[in-house]
Structures are given as C-alpha cells and as structure tokens.
Amino acid sequence: MIADLFGRKFYMASDTIGAWVMLTLTAILGIILITRAKKWPIIREYATTTHHRKIGVLYLLSATLFFMRAGIEALIIRIQLAFPDNNFWVFQGEKFNEAFTTHGTIMIFFVAMPLLIGLMNVAVPLQIGAQDMAFPYLNAVSFWLFLAGALLVNMSFFMTASPNAGWTLYAPLSTDTYTPSAGNDYYIFGIQVSGIGTILAAINMIVTIVRHRAPGMTLMKMPLFPWSTLITSFLILIAFPVLTIALYILMFDRFFGTSFFSGPEGDPIYWQHLFWIFGHPEVYIIILPAFGIFSDIISTFSKKRVFGYGSMVVALAIIGLLGFMVWVHHMFTVGLGALVNTFFAVTTMLIAVPTGIKIFNWLFTMRKGVIRFSTPMLFAAGFIPTFVMGGVTGVMLSAAAADLQYHDTYFVVAHFHYVIIGGTVLGAFAGIYYWFPKMFGITLNETLGKLHFWLFLIGFHITFFPQHFAGLNGMPRRVYTYTAEDNVFVFNFVSTLGAFLMGIGTAVFVWNIYKSFKKPQKAGDDPWNGRTLEWSVPSPAPEHPFENTPQVVSHDPVWEAKLHRDGELPKASESRTAPIDVVSWQPVMLGSLMLFFSLAFIYHVTWLQVTLGIAVLGFFVVRALTDEHTKKAKEDQAHDNV
Amino acid sequence: MKKLSFLFSCLVLFLSGCSMRVFNPISETARDQSFLILFSFFLMMIVLVVVFVMFARFMWKYRETEENKHTIPEDEEGNKAFELTWTILPIILLIVLAVPTVRMTYDMSAEVTSNPANAVHIEVTAQQFSWTFTYEGGVQTINNVTLPKDRPVVFHLNSKDVIHSFWIPRLGGKRDVMPGENRRLIVTPEETGTYQGKCAEFCGVDHAKMRFTTEVKSQQAYQQWLNEEKKEME
Ligand code: HEM
Ligand SMILES: [Cu+2]
Ligand SMILES: [Cu+2]
C-alpha cells in the first residue's frame, strides 16, 4: 500500500497496516471505556500534575506500554529465528533489522530508564522525608520531554521509517549515505528530546536528595535506594551530555553535509568512542538503582539492616567511577593496540570486585535473618543467582583476547540480557510490587505475583541460557537467519519457547494489575513491616505526606521507632519548606511542541522549524516570568487576613 | 539444589558435547583463545558455586517459619573480617585471570604487525554484502577463500563502504574491517577442511547473508589450485 504525506511516499507493509488498525481500534475502545467510566477528570489530573507520586506513576505506566511493544518485537525476532532458513511474515532483511533496532532502543531508553526513574519519583522523596521533589514543575517537564522522545521513536514504525542501524547506531552505516530514510533521524531526535528530560530529572534528584532530607538524616543514614539514585544521577549528568554531543554531530553529518564520521577527514571510530563513553556508564545507570531497590527490599524482608552499609555505599561510588573507565571493552575487535586493550580489560575486571562485595553483603543481610518470601522478595531472590551468572560471563568477556571470539555473537546477547533483565527488569518488578501500596493504596495480588515471578524467571533462563552456546558455535548477533549446517537450531528453538513463557509471565503481571484494581485489597500504611520513612506516611502517599517533619536519629528510622518508641517517630523542631505544587498544562504542551518541532526537522519543513522553535523559546520566557513563590506568599497572606 | 544439578548437567553437556566451533580450533590463535575462554570459565565457576551454595543455604536455613515468625533477628552492622575476605579473594582470582589475558592480548597484537617469512598474502575486500579475495598474481574469488595448510596467511582487510568484521570462528577471533583503512590479520591454519566464515559486524540489510567459506588445502593442492585459477584468468 502507498500513502502520500508531507510530499513523500510511504510504502506500507502488511505489518504496518495491521499495527495501524490495532492502534486505531485500541484508541477508539480506550476513549469509549474512559468516557463510560467517567474517568476523564483523572486523565486531566495526571496530565497537569506536578506531584512526584503521580509523575512516577506516569513514568511506570508508559514504561509498561513500551515494554509490551518492544516485547512483541522480541517475540517476532524469536519466531523468525526459531527455525533455520525461516521466513516468518515480513521479518527478513530490513524489517528484521528494524525490529531489533527498535527493540533494543526502546528497551534501554523507554523501558529500563523510565521504570527506574518512575520508582525514584515514587519512593525517593518519601524515603528521605521530603514533601516532594525539589522542582515539581521541572519534574513534570522532564516526564513530558521523555514521553515526547519516546513517542517519536515509537511512531517511526507507523510512519514506515523505523531506525535500522542497531541501537548502537554505528557510523558510517548510520550516515545518510547508507541509511537515507528518515528512520535514524527519528532515533536521533527521539533520544535527544527524551535525553533532555533525563538530564533535567537527574538534576532534580540531586537537588532533592542534597537539600530536602529530613532533619537528622545525614548522608550516611540515608537508605540505599536514594544513595544509588544520587550516584546514578551524577552518572547521567556526565554521560548523557556525551550522547547529546554525539547525536548532534551525527545530525550534522546526516542533515548538513559535514563528515565527522566518514570520508577522508572523519573517522567512524569517533562515533564508537563517543557512543560507548556514554554507553557503558548507561548500563550502570540502569543497574545501580536496581541495586538500591534490592538492598532495601532484602533488608526489609529479612528483618535486618543491610549488612556492611558503609561498604555498600563505597561500592556504589566505585562502580560509578570505574564505569567511566571501561568503554573500550566494547571495541576490542577494532584494533586499538595491545596497551589500550589490556588497560581496559583490567579496569573491566576490577568492576567485578565492588560488585562482588555487594552480592556478598546481600547474602549476609539474609544470613541470620527471618526471610519472608513475599513477591518483592521473590524477585530480589531470583535476582542474585541470575545476575551473578551475567556477572561471570561479563568477566569472561573482559578477557580481551577471548573477546575477539565472543564479540558480536549471541554470547554477548545472552550476557547482557542476564544483567539487564536479571538486574534492571527484576529490580523494577520488585520495586513495583513493593511500592504499589504507596502509589495506589492497594497491594497487588500475591498469588498472581508469584505466578508472574516463576513464569518470568524460568522463561528467562530457558530463553537466554542456550544463547551462550549459539554464540560459541559461531552465531553472530543481528542476523535474521541461519542455516541448518550452522548447528544452532536447537539453541534457537529452545530460546523461542522460553521467550513465549516470558511473554505469558508478563501477561500475568498486566492481568494482576487489572485484577487488583477490580477487587482492591486495601493496604495499610505499612504492609511489609517496613523500616524506612515511606512506611510512616499514608498509602497512597498524599500531597504533603509528612505532616510533622520527622527527626531522624538512626538508620532505618521507622524500624527503630517500632522497636524503641512504640512506632512514634520523633518530631523535628524545625521544618523544611515544601516545594510548591502547581497544576499546569504547560509541561504537556512543551512536550507536544518538542515533538512537532522534531518532526519538522525529520521531514525538513523549514518554516515549521522556525515557528515551533520560537514557540519553544516562548515557553522559557513564560516560565522565567512566573514566580510561584511570590504568588503563594501573597495568597497565604490574603488567607491570613480573612 | 535443583538449579545446581541443572547447572552441572549443562557443564557436562558443555564439555562432552564440545562441537562448539570456538572450542575446535585449527590454529594457534584460536587454540589460545579457546584456552582462555575455558580458563576464565573454570575460574568463574568457583565464584558461581560459592555464591550459589551460600545463597541456597541461607535461603533455606533462614526462611520464615511458624516458630521464628515473631522473632526479631539480632542487629548486626557488618563484619570487617568477612568484608575483607570477599574483597581480597576476588582480587587474587582476577589477577590469576589478568595474567594470561594480558599476555595473550599482547601476543595477538604483536602478531598483527609481524612479517612472517614464507607467508601467503591475501587482499580481502568487504563490500555490502560480499567478500572478495585477491591472491598474489591477481587471482580473485568471491565469498570463498582457499588457504594452504601450515603456512602463515596474512589477510589485508579493507572495506569499500561500512564497517564489517572478518571472522572464521575455528581459525581465530574476529577483526573489524574499516572503510579507508588497511588492517591485517595473521593466522596459520593447521588442518585441511572446509570452514565457515562470516561478517560479524552489522552492516545493513543482508548482513546475515554476508558469509564465505574457507577451504584449507595441503600446500601442494593449494599451489595446484592457484595455478589452475591463474590459467583460467588467461
Ligand atoms: C522479553 C524478553 C526478551 C527477549 C525474548 C529478547 C530477545 C532479544 C534478541 C533475540 C535480541 C537479538 C537481536 C539480534 O541481535 O538479532 C535482542 C537484542 C537486544 N535486547 Fe532483547 N529481549 C528481551 C528483553 C529485553 C530487555 C528487557 C532489554 C533491556 C531492558 C533488552 C535489550 C536488548 C538490547 C539492547 C538488544 C540489542 C539490540 C541491538 O542489537 O541493536 N531486551 N533481544
Ligand atoms: Cu560496557
Ligand atoms: Cu555484516
């Protein structure tokens, strides 16, 4: 089918048409259901909110949607690879390449990141005794910019222009010479716009944690999830600008005829360095928060404080630092020389030390405890062996000479799914089950939760364990087919079966959320016998959760209060000023503007670029002239005078 | 426990099955790499087993039961001796791994710049989505490379468009092929036979199909083959 739009022709394959039909039907059904249930006010409430809990929920909700989209792509990839010389639907060649490119891109930037940032939004302010994030308005702006970028990358498929150069976007394949279609422009602008949101979110987190802790909560009394958030935010602050620059330069190569990454003056290696100087810290950006979540959960469900708290903090910091010194382990086959390769091999091995320290500290937190296996704890328990398996293959990969064999094979695919799913995704699930009461005041169903856990974990190992062998038997990654002589059929077939088990597991999770809202099980303020401050406020967390600012006198203050003070937290004599919540349509509008602004670039419509650029700048002016503090002070005064 | 026995059976499968191409090296380079892989694997198995055993034991021994449901475990902050142990032991383990890693990485880099006597030189040109091999004397083959046994082969790698990666799993690790640059890869095949070769770096639509076969012949057969090809050219 051919459509005409923006003066360009769009050829549609049957999968795209199918997706359009599905999207339209879902949208119509959604609108009908929302109208019937009279839920528009809630949509409006969430669209205009600046409250940290609601913004956190928005992040989590969009991450779940994108998880389903990229998950469907994973299943498509797995079906195409189930048999040798298979021809599933249209997914050979270009379509397959697009599928793994958007799968990887969406999973990293629009699933892993927002799952964690969403949980940070929900939990971190409560855990440190803050009333909200330091900059609530900025928080909303961060989210809507993130969503605008995510929508750009997601809509590329519907516009028949999916990115197709892999999530690593290696030049010169990603330059306009070799991939002239708009696909990689969608990638560039999508990641660029959402990246701004992420950087702003990091700044917000840092200021919140530094400035808004409850009185008495020194940094060394802070729970480990805020700690990991703090360190992650610094990593974002350093790593994301590098990506921004890399994408800018690539944009110039694609749009304005420069040749930084190709030709006699340029060099494609520059791209690889820039990308991985961002890319390796990125993998720590998505794992450290999960470490924080697991620390809090393992401690709570073992009824013990975290073992070796000090070394846990130090380990986080060292991992963060070393994370910037290992990027060349993605480039061992480039041939940068023995000195470079061995240096980066050794730094990579070094990261295993602080990571090992954390693993043993978790094990010893459980030791001599009383371990209750509620769903969050199950996910934390499943994490330890799974992540360690991914960790040891990581050390194997760091042996540079051996990596010449593993590199770009299914061995690597297996390795990074073990760490990303075993760490980040299990961590996010654990966090969602754990903090669900704080988000909505209800707990998720435990039986379905356990079913979800087992299906997902077993499915995971069936999917990815055989891939190690496929790689060692010579199967490169990013291939859409293989032959019978390759002798990788069994591994691939088993892997596909496992992928469907994971899919069923995820469906159970979604079903669980639906069920739990249908038949809500009210959660108390403290459903898990918690230890940290978030369990001292009502569920769901209200707008200004801490009526009396608590005075923190120890680690795990809520637990200490339960043991020694009949559950009463000591009150602080001073109080923290609360950030000012507003209700505003501006953040959504800014996000939408940025979306159309990007589209104007992607489709080279100059007058639109200029108009929308001016409109975006207009927002800065409006915001700069808005003074909520003075306004609020005046209102309060007027109130007092009545 | 179930996990452990599962892992063990995988290990047995892994060692006995061993039809993995990477573990069937036909050159010294590939043999070194295969060794390093297995060496690191067994080192890491030590870590894995220790963690799995502790994990299983703690999970079982300290699980909540009817009796301990209401007990509150003793508070414990940490233990310096333990913490030092699991900092220092891994460092030692990693040094054990780092030594052969560094040595082999240096060896393999040195190889790339060496100029072995009696070597066969082959120009390899990668282009979306095929490989062209040019031998001394101008003989050209496409997606099929023939090599002599027991003579060092110097591949001169070059790309006409994007980045590709030259890989013959049983002959040794891969090497990226960059546009506008000449790279070398030196190996000495030690067994005759037919082996798979692949592009390992994603390079566009038909990356999956960018493959070639490698035929290793005895030196005599190789010379004969080369002469025939030359004749055909004339
Ligand atoms: C739900 C189950 C999943 C399955 C079955 C799956 C399957 C796959 C497969 C088969 C590939 C290899 C594509 C190829 O090289 O040809 C792949 C690539 C990738 N996956 Fe997944 N995946 C899953 C979940 C995830 C998750 C949760 C993440 C991260 C949060 C993720 C991140 C990636 C990345 C970054 C790539 C590399 C893409 C590229 O090569 O450009 N995957 N996945
Ligand atoms: Cu890395
Ligand atoms: Cu290729």
Side-chain angles (χ1 to χ4, degrees), chain A residues 94 178 303-305 308 311 333-334 349 371 373 381 404-405 407-408 469 472-474 480 485-486, chain B residues 14 21-22 55 62 64 69 75-77 83 94 167 169 174 176 183 196 198 200-201 205-206 211:
Chain A
E94 206 53 43
Y178 299 103
K303 286 208 222 164
K304 271 180 71 208
R305 73 159 87 186
S311 65
T333 59
V334 169
M349 288 176 191
I371 310 170
F373 289 101
L404 302 182
Q405 285 287 20
H407 182 70
D408 267 340
F469 300 109
L472 290 172
N473 209 10
Y480 66 84
E485 297 84 71
D486 292 354
Chain B
F14 183 79
R21 291 191 171 80
V22 166
F55 174 76
Y62 302 108
E64 185 183 83
K69 214 169 168 177
D75 192 38
E76 109 189 284
E77 272 187 40
E83 288 175 51
L94 289 173
W167 189 32
K174 48 192 82 62
D176 289 359
R183 304 243 145 145
Q196 294 190 333
K198 303 172 186 183
E201 178 67 57
V205 192
D206 263 328
R211 306 172 62 150

Side-chain angles (χ1 to χ4, degrees), chain A residues 313-591:
Chain A
V313 172
V314 174
L316 279 175
I318 294 180
I319 295 176
L321 276 181
L322 281 178
F324 285 101
M325 294 164 51
V326 299
W327 78 90
V328 169
H329 66 211
H330 299 272
M331 302 164 64
F332 284 149
T333 59
V334 169
L336 297 172
L339 182 66
V340 175
N341 282 358
T342 47
F343 174 82
F344 282 93
V346 170
T347 51
T348 306
M349 288 176 191
L350 276 181
I351 287 203
V353 177
T355 314
I357 292 175
K358 298 193 77 71
I359 299 276
F360 284 106
N361 279 335
W362 285 318
L363 287 174
F364 275 66
T365 305
M366 297 196 290
R367 177 168 166 257
K368 298 193 182 159
V370 176
I371 310 170
R372 188 164 23 116
F373 289 101
S374 308
T375 311
M377 184 60 189
L378 271 185
F379 277 98
F383 150 78
I384 291 180
T386 310
F387 186 81
V388 171
M389 287 172 77
V392 298
T393 52
V395 174
M396 290 169 70
L397 285 163
S398 72
D403 182 65
L404 302 182
Q405 285 287 20
Y406 307 121
H407 182 70
D408 267 340
T409 69
Y410 260 84
F411 191 89
V412 174
V413 176
H415 156 72
F416 70 68
H417 283 93
Y418 262 86
V419 281
I420 297 180
I421 298 184
T424 309
V425 176
L426 292 186
F429 281 141
I432 290 172
Y433 280 95
Y434 187 55
W435 284 304
F436 208 78
K438 279 296 155 237
M439 294 182 234
F440 301 108
I442 57 176
T443 39
L444 286 169
N445 182 302
E446 276 286 301
T447 318
L448 286 175
K450 286 179 178 155
L451 185 65
H452 166 211
F453 167 74
W454 286 110
L455 285 172
F456 194 80
L457 189 79
I458 295 173
F460 167 78
H461 282 276
I462 297 179
T463 311
F464 291 102
F465 194 73
Q467 292 185 1
H468 294 106
F469 300 109
L472 290 172
N473 209 10
M475 183 170 171
R477 69 193 270 206
R478 299 176 168 175
V479 293
Y480 66 84
T481 191
Y482 54 92
T483 66
E485 297 84 71
D486 292 354
N487 269 332
V488 290
F489 161 62
V490 177
F491 307 131
N492 277 290
F493 186 73
V494 173
S495 181
T496 303
L497 292 183
F500 276 89
L501 213 54
M502 288 175 86
I504 297 170
T506 310
V508 171
F509 171 62
V510 175
W511 176 245
N512 192 352
I513 294 179
Y514 174 76
K515 271 300 243 201
S516 303
F517 275 110
K518 263 259 128 80
K519 267 200 199 149
Q521 241 176 358
K522 282 260 171 292
D525 298 352
D526 182 15
W528 312 114
N529 198 1
R531 311 171 70 87
T532 38
L533 285 178
E534 75 268 38
W535 308 112
S536 70
V537 305
S539 300
E543 296 275 327
H544 285 267
F546 296 95
E547 265 171 28
N548 301 302
T549 312
Q551 175 77 36
V552 176
V553 290
S554 76
H555 236 275
D556 295 350
V558 169
W559 184 253
E560 195 261 359
K562 280 182 205 164
L563 289 189
H564 305 304
R565 306 171 196 269
D566 293 324
E568 281 295 315
L569 286 167
K571 291 187 184 71
S573 47
E574 43 173 333
S575 73
R576 290 266 187 272
T577 47
I580 298 174
D581 283 317
V582 288
V583 170
S584 167
W585 284 99
Q586 285 176 20
V588 200
M589 284 161 67
L590 179 61

Side-chain angles (χ1 to χ4, degrees), chain A residues 1 3-13 15-17 19-20 23 69 95 98 102 151-163 181-183 186 595-596 599-600 602-603:
Chain A
M1 200 174 103
D4 230 333
L5 207 65
F6 298 123
R8 288 194 179 202
K9 289 219 178 332
F10 294 81
Y11 301 89
M12 282 209 193
D15 62 327
T16 318
I17 298 173
W20 268 110
L23 183 73
R69 141 128 203 213
K95 279 283 180 187
E98 293 173 0
T102 41
L151 288 180
L152 275 169
V153 171
N154 273 280
M155 73 190 281
S156 64
F157 172 79
F158 293 91
M159 306 299 278
T160 71
S162 281
S181 80
Y186 272 104
L595 191 140
F596 289 108
L599 283 174
I602 292 170
Y603 290 106

Side-chain angles (χ1 to χ4, degrees), chain A residues 101 163 165-171 174 184 187-188 247 250 271 275 478:
Chain A
T101 302
W167 89 281
T168 48
L169 216 69
Y170 268 20
S174 58
N184 293 323
Y187 180 115
I188 292 174
L247 291 172
L250 185 62
W271 170 266
F275 186 84
R478 299 176 168 175

